[in-house]
Structure formats: structure tokens, C-alpha cells
Amino acid sequence: MTDMQKDRPWLFRTYAGHSTAKASNALYRGNLAKGQTGLSVAFDLPTQTGYDSDHTLARGEVGKVGVPVSHLGDMRTLFQDIPLGQMNTSMTINATAPWLLALYIAVAEEQGADVSALQGTVQNDLIKEYLSRGTYICPPKPSLKMIADVAEYCYTTVPKWNPMNVCSYHLQEAGATPEQELAFALATAQAVLDELRPRVPADDFPILVGRISFFVNAGIRFVTEMCKMRAFVDLWDEICQDRYGVENPKFRRFRYGVQVNSLGLTEQQPENNVYRILIEMLAVTLSKKARARAVQLPAWNEALGLPRPWDQQWSLRMQQIMALETDLLEYDDLFEGNPAVDRKVEALKDGARAELANLQAMGGAVDAIEYMKAQLVNANADRVNGIEKGETVVVGVNKYTQGEPSPLVDADGGIMVVDPAVEQDQIDRLNAWRAERDEAAAQAAIADLRAAAQAGENVMPVSIKAAKAGVTTGEWAGVMRSVHGLYRGPTGVSAAQSNKTEGLDDIRDAVNVVSDQLGRRLRFLMGKPGLDGHSNGAEQIAFRARDCGMQIDYAGIRLTPDEIIAAAQTDAPHVIGLSILSGSHLPLVEELMAKRQSAGLSHIPVIVGGIIPDEDAVRLKAMGVSKVYSPKDFELNRIMMDIVTLADPSTIAAE
């Protein structure tokens, strides 16, 4: 077969962004020079949740897990010398998706690009934010309306843009089974299309259906994952044809990008992650019928911290070798007619259809958010139990744990560390931007934005005008908060114990003994300070503590240190647990420990979990933290016994 007959490779992407727009721009240009063919932008948590870099909730979070973009100037710097008219850009942004797309369009216009020819994607999937990632702002219904605003605007003005990327990636990260991942993602797509259908002429609706794309996860069980992707293709075709009457097969194509699983990457023996990433990539590239259109791979060291440019390059080279050195793209579908594959695909489709029918009986995805969240937490508890009991083997974690130290983890810990001075630098530039803009024009644009939101108009045109007038990310989101209100999603952790108490008898007995000594039920407060919405760990700790017989208090994500201290004053817990996965543990814990002392609560021990380097663990303990846990501490029962010991009056008396 000649090169002309080969399939075109998928887009090579690297999910990247950190520190500042200037530093991220240099990273992007470097990655493009190395052969990356599309950009995938990671934004920091303040940008994702609609806060300016100087907001109190942004403290410690600026530039940590992505790039801060507070205004048009930041977006301008981010894409300097990168011609947006020639680029295919994916932006992982949800609650503030209309705003970040408005900024992107404004910069593209400044560059002289033809806006109607821009290509790329905004994730713009708020429903999965309530279930798994936690970067939502407003309640579900106005959020669904804003998703539709973007799609409606793009179909007429930016027709090559994917206005919504149904994201099942984080569903699997939160513990979803393949059937749940299929059903929950497809229910989300249906909710969006049902919202869009009345907005456009019937003849144009199939075109809009054709612009909906997906962003999925591929785990280590790569045969199952490959079959899942084939099931996605079949089910989406079925829904588009049967539910929406889309006759043109072009508009029924399941178009998806992928990042393979980060949940399964291990802190222990991290070099093994290279093999995991490669195997997971096979699931979304081997099958021509269900091959990804774009792939971004995590780096080997993501369980340790922020990858360096070399780490990202290594993952990029993995894609390039697969696509360009092997003969994969020279063949028709390798699995067509395979009876084992066909059986598995049909079984997954049957399970997904049953769950989808269940969701539809509840009124669809928006009305079923609480149910789906509880199902994910329950499924994740099964996953954690399987690893803890050794039923699910993770090499280097619960089997073959003896090994040589990794030479990849050097004196710097094998990761990139963001300079704490970055935050103040970003704040200084934000203040300069506000001082130099035309304040009257900015305030007028904010007023127009508020009027449009209150009137139920499409917010995209006024958002673009606001972007050009110098309005900031926090100001845009502030308008949406004031018009639509705030929302706190369900935690998925009920007060009632589950049926997963097998093997917990010793801990339950210990909890009862200590509770008797305390004169009341041992009480544990689980807190998530900061903007980090990755709540899986916090949920599983609270879930297990409850099943061990403790009284738990868990209010969910995005709490300030003041709110956690206020809860401690009200609820009088015996132990406080903090979960922070965004790398902002040092400033947040330092603030909370100071407030704990001021409130006269120093007698309550504090434990902390997150992606925490050893040297940071030492600093946290110096602040007074009793125990520090990282991803290698997968045995939840050991953590439970630590909580019991810390609450034990005899232990406290001995100290």
C-alpha cells in the first residue's frame, strides 16, 4: 500500500499550560516545533471557575494546574506568534467556555484570521462537572442554556468549531463502569441536543448534531476499552437516526478525542506508567471503525506532579512512533467480524441502553444528576476495594512492590515546580490591565452582558464585545453568578452506611471503643479547601469513614479555610481531614492551620492528602499536620485506623 492510501494520522496533542500566559506560549511553540499538530490548552482553576487571579479563592491556585487567563491581554500573550487561522485548538474549559471562546475569537480577529474558518473545540460540558470534575459555577439549567448559546452561535458564525465536547473522560476517572460511561455521556449529549433543537430551523438541526464531539477516556483494560469505543460509535449512530431523525451518515459520525487514563498512573514505580499509557493508546487507535480523531497522552510522572517539557515530549513521541513508524494506518478495520469483539460490544450496548432508559425515565441527564453522582461514588468504592483487597492487580502497588529506585526521579523530584512568585506577578499584570483599560467602556460592556443574561438572550455576542472592552474573567463570571445564582452539586455520599462493610469489623470495633471513651460518636470532618474539584479521594475517605461507623461531615468541594473552621466550631469533630490535589496544599494548609489556632481549635488533629512531594510533607508536618498521605497510600483502612488513633483520648493524654 502506498503512502497516498494510508489513513491520515489523528491530531497529535499535548495537554499543557502552566505558570503564566508567556511561559505557556513558549511551551506551545516548543511542542509545535517538535511535531505536535494541534493545541490542547489547560487553564488554571481560577480561570476554570470564573475568578480573577487576585480573588481570595484563587490564593495558591494561580498557574498551578494550567495557565491563568484573566483578560484579553492574557489570551493575546498565550497565542503570540501562533497563527490561530491555521491552528486546531482544543480548550478544556466548561463553566467559563463562552467567555474563553469569546477571548479566543477576539484574538483571532486581531491576528486577521477569518473567524468563520477557525477550527477547534471548547469542552463546554457542565453536566459532567456536577458529577466528577467540580468546576461548575451556576445551576444546571442556566448552564445548559449557555452550552446551547455557544453551539447556536458557532453553527452560524464559526461553523468549523466544535461547540461542545461531551466529556466522559472524568466519569471514568470518578470510577464509572464502561456501561455507566457510555450511558451518562450519551444522556448528556441528548440533554444538549434537546435544548438546541427548538433554537434552529429543522433543516439545519442535523448540521448542528454533526458538530457535537466527544472526549473520552481509555483505561488499562484495553480490549474492553476498544469495544467501548465501538459501542459508542454504534449507539451514537442509533440515537442520531432514531431520536433525532438525522439521515445523512456524515452528521451521525461519532467524532471524538481522547486522553488516556490518568487515574491508573502510579506514584510507586512511576516508570511503569510509560507502558500503561502506550497500552491505553492502543484502545483508541487500533480500531479503524472507532479510531480517535485527536489524542493527548499524559506524562509518566503525572502522579508525582506537573510534567516538564521533556516528559511531554516523550508522550508526544509515543504517538508519532505509533502513527508514523508502524503500519497501523495501512489496514482496514482489524476487528470487523471478530466474534469475541462483537459479543463484548453488544453486551456493552445492552447495558448502556438499559441505563440510558433508566436516566430518561428520571427526566434525562439534568434531572438525574444526583442519581448519577451517587452511582459514580458507589462504583468508585468498588474499584478502590478491589485494589485494596488485591482482587484488582496494580503492578508495583499491590503486587511486585519490590523494585529498584527509579532513575527518572532526579534530585528535583522528576517534576516541574511552579515558582510561587508567579501568582503575584500575574496579579500585578491584572491590576495594570484594569488601570489601563477604558473603564467606562468596560462597565458599559458588563451592563450589556447582564442585560442579555437577564433577558435570556444568547450571551456570545455580548461576551465578545466585553472581551474587546477589557472585561476580566472574574467580572464575566460575576455577572453569571448574580443573574443565575450559585450552585453546590451533590456529594454522592449519603449519611446511611452502604453494604460494603465486609472486612471492616476490626475498625468498626475500634471506632465503637473510642466513641465510648469520647462519650459520643467519633466525628470526622472531611474538607476540600481551594478550587480543586477533584473530589474522588475525599468522597472515598468520607464513604469509608461512614462505613467504619464514624459520624462524618462532608459538604463537598470548593470551601474556604474560614468555612472549614466554621464547620469545625459548629460540629466539633475529633479529626479534620483535608484533600487538595491541585498542588496548592502549602498555602491553603498554612492558612487553615493559622485559623485553627486563632479559633482555639488546636486540639483537633488535622490530616492532609494530595499529590504531595516528600519535602512538602515535611513542611506540612512542621505546620502541625498530624499525617500526610499521597497517592501511594491506597490502603484506606490504614487511614481509618490512623483517624481512630488520633481521636483516641488515651493517645491524646499520652502526648
Side-chain angles (χ1 to χ4, degrees):
M1 181 176 286
T2 67
D3 286 353
M4 294 298 290
Q5 294 171 293
K6 280 186 178 181
D7 286 347
R8 291 176 61 189
W10 53 89
L11 280 172
F12 304 147
R13 285 186 170 138
T14 302
Y15 183 53
H18 64 83
S19 304
T20 64
K22 185 176 181 180
S24 298
N25 172 261
L27 180 64
Y28 296 162
R29 287 189 286 110
N31 284 346
L32 290 169
K34 293 169 186 171
Q36 187 172 300
T37 53
L39 290 177
S40 180
V41 182
F43 296 100
D44 73 354
L45 286 173
T47 305
Q48 291 184 50
T49 51
Y51 294 104
D52 286 330
S53 299
D54 60 350
H55 193 279
T56 181
L57 278 170
R59 183 166 183 264
E61 307 279 16
V62 176
K64 282 283 171 59
V65 299
V67 57
V69 175
S70 294
H71 47 72
L72 183 63
D74 284 340
M75 189 67 94
R76 206 181 271 149
T77 301
L78 187 63
F79 293 110
Q80 187 174 344
D81 299 324
I82 299 175
L84 298 187
Q86 301 169 31
M87 196 53 51
N88 190 308
T89 304
S90 171
M91 294 193 286
T92 303
I93 198 74
N94 296 284
T96 51
W99 176 243
L100 271 295
L101 180 58
L103 291 171
Y104 187 89
I105 289 170
V107 170
E109 287 182 357
E110 288 182 351
Q111 290 186 356
D114 177 1
V115 170
S116 67
L118 292 177
Q119 295 187 66
T121 304
V122 276
Q123 193 166 99
N124 201 23
D125 177 357
L126 264 297
I127 292 176
K128 76 97 173 45
E129 295 301 312
Y130 306 122
L131 300 178
S132 53
R133 182 58 189 85
T135 65
Y136 55 80
I137 295 175
C138 299
K141 289 189 177 173
S143 295
L144 189 62
K145 187 259 181 194
M146 281 190 274
I147 294 173
D149 283 356
V150 173
E152 182 185 23
Y153 180 83
C154 286
Y155 117 89
T156 56
T157 310
V158 201
K160 295 183 179 180
W161 194 270
N162 299 316
M164 197 262 180
N165 205 218
V166 181
C167 179
S168 71
Y169 174 84
H170 288 102
L171 300 180
Q172 188 178 124
E173 295 284 293
T177 65
E179 293 85 352
Q180 287 171 337
E181 188 179 342
L182 286 162
F184 294 3
L186 292 169
T188 295
Q190 289 180 179
V192 172
L193 290 178
D194 290 350
E195 177 81 10
L196 276 169
R197 201 173 197 172
R199 291 193 180 210
V200 298
D203 290 347
D204 287 353
F205 185 65
I207 299 170
L208 225 158
V209 173
R211 294 315 307 170
I212 300 296
S213 60
F214 290 75
F215 186 73
V216 305
N217 202 331
I220 195 66
R221 294 171 59 80
F222 82 100
V223 176
T224 297
E225 295 294 307
M226 182 270 294
C227 292
K228 179 190 76 181
M229 297 321 306
R230 296 173 81 87
F232 254 135
V233 169
D234 291 351
L235 289 168
W236 183 240
D237 185 80
E238 192 176 288
I239 288 168
C240 290
Q241 193 159 22
D242 297 349
R243 184 181 177 94
Y244 297 112
V246 178
E247 296 300 328
N248 187 337
K250 175 185 173 185
F251 297 138
R252 302 199 306 264
R253 279 188 310 195
F254 185 80
R255 300 177 312 115
Y256 78 99
V258 65
Q259 170 158 321
V260 307
N261 194 298
S262 293
L263 179 68
L265 302 183
T266 64
E267 181 182 2
Q268 303 94 315
Q269 301 179 17
E271 62 278 1
N272 295 343
N273 293 331
V274 175
Y275 303 130
R276 293 185 177 106
I277 293 164
L278 173 60
I279 290 166
E280 290 164 354
M281 181 172 64
L282 295 178
V284 295
T285 56
L286 282 182
S287 174
K288 180 174 180 176
K289 176 185 175 184
R291 183 171 292 144
R293 294 170 65 94
V295 176
Q296 59 193 45
L297 301 179
W300 69 277
N301 55 349
E302 285 198 11
L304 305 177
L306 188 66
R308 301 157 300 189
W310 182 87
D311 306 316
Q312 294 184 332
Q313 174 186 297
W314 199 9
S315 287
L316 174 62
R317 294 292 181 251
M318 197 183 295
Q319 291 201 60
Q320 292 167 330
I321 290 166
M322 178 66 72
L324 305 175
E325 291 192 23
T326 77
D327 56 356
L328 173 65
L329 298 179
E330 297 175 14
Y331 290 90
D332 291 334
D333 195 281
L334 303 178
F335 304 101
E336 199 68 49
N338 181 306
V341 169
D342 289 346
R343 281 195 302 273
K344 182 63 175 176
V345 170
E346 289 306 313
L348 289 170
K349 284 158 60 176
D350 288 346
R353 286 192 194 102
E355 185 64 274
L356 201 51
N358 187 27
L359 297 175
Q360 290 306 114
M362 296 178 190
V366 170
D367 290 332
I369 282 171
E370 195 160 341
Y371 163 80
M372 289 191 286
K373 178 66 176 179
Q375 293 299 106
L376 289 176
V377 172
N378 196 56
N380 203 18
D382 289 336
R383 184 191 69 83
V384 171
N385 283 343
I387 295 171
E388 198 167 0
K389 293 175 180 177
E391 295 165 359
T392 300
V393 172
V394 183
V395 173
V397 173
N398 62 3
K399 198 172 182 67
Y400 309 120
T401 56
Q402 293 298 312
E404 300 299 321
S406 173
L408 296 176
V409 181
D410 57 21
D412 294 326
I415 57 172
M416 175 183 288
V417 177
V418 175
D419 184 348
V422 159
E423 184 165 320
Q424 190 56 51
D425 177 56
Q426 173 69 12
I427 291 170
D428 291 344
R429 280 182 285 104
L430 172 60
N431 288 331
W433 175 267
R434 291 194 191 111
E436 292 166 10
R437 72 183 180 182
D438 181 336
E439 190 61 27
Q443 293 305 321
I446 291 170
D448 290 346
L449 180 66
R450 180 174 284 104
Q454 288 172 333
E457 297 171 7
N458 192 310
V459 299
M460 279 304 300
V462 285
S463 293
I464 294 170
K465 289 178 182 175
K468 294 176 179 177
V471 171
T472 69
T473 297
E475 289 169 336
W476 182 90
V479 169
M480 298 306 152
R481 288 184 178 93
S482 69
V483 173
H484 301 303
L486 291 170
Y487 179 77
R488 288 200 68 79
T491 67
V493 182
S494 69
Q497 289 184 0
S498 75
N499 59 358
K500 304 182 195 300
T501 56
E502 183 183 350
L504 300 181
D505 289 348
D506 289 348
I507 305 174
R508 290 166 65 89
D509 289 345
V511 169
N512 288 335
V513 168
V514 170
S515 295
D516 288 343
Q517 292 173 350
L518 292 167
R520 61 187 174 99
R521 180 58 43 183
L522 194 165
R523 192 161 191 159
F524 176 64
L525 171 62
M526 183 71 243
K528 272 200 70 62
L531 297 177
D532 171 33
H534 283 110
S535 57
N536 302 334
E539 289 156 3
Q540 291 308 311
I541 292 288
F543 193 99
R544 182 66 61 84
R546 177 202 65 193
D547 284 356
C548 287
M550 300 180 203
Q551 185 172 358
I552 59 160
D553 300 294
Y554 175 53
I557 62 171
R558 226 184 297 168
L559 299 174
T560 65
D562 282 330
E563 288 172 324
I564 294 171
I565 292 299
Q569 289 174 313
T570 301
D571 300 331
H574 298 102
V575 179
I576 297 172
L578 304 176
S579 171
I580 309 166
L581 293 174
S582 62
S584 58
H585 43 268
L586 289 176
L588 286 173
V589 173
E590 184 176 35
E591 182 180 351
L592 188 135
M593 296 301 279
K595 291 179 182 296
R596 181 189 71 147
Q597 184 169 2
S598 299
L601 301 176
S602 296
H603 60 284
I604 304 177
V606 174
I607 61 176
V608 178
I611 301 175
I612 300 172
D614 290 343
E615 61 270 24
D616 285 2
V618 172
R619 293 175 65 184
L620 291 174
K621 288 180 179 177
M623 294 175 195
V625 172
S626 298
K627 296 280 184 179
V628 177
Y629 304 100
S630 71
K632 68 178 179 293
D633 299 298
F634 68 96
E635 295 171 312
L636 297 191
N637 284 353
R638 185 170 66 81
I639 298 174
M640 296 301 110
M641 285 306 298
D642 287 346
I643 294 171
V644 174
T645 301
L646 288 169
D648 188 339
S650 59
T651 303
I652 298 166
E655 291 176 352

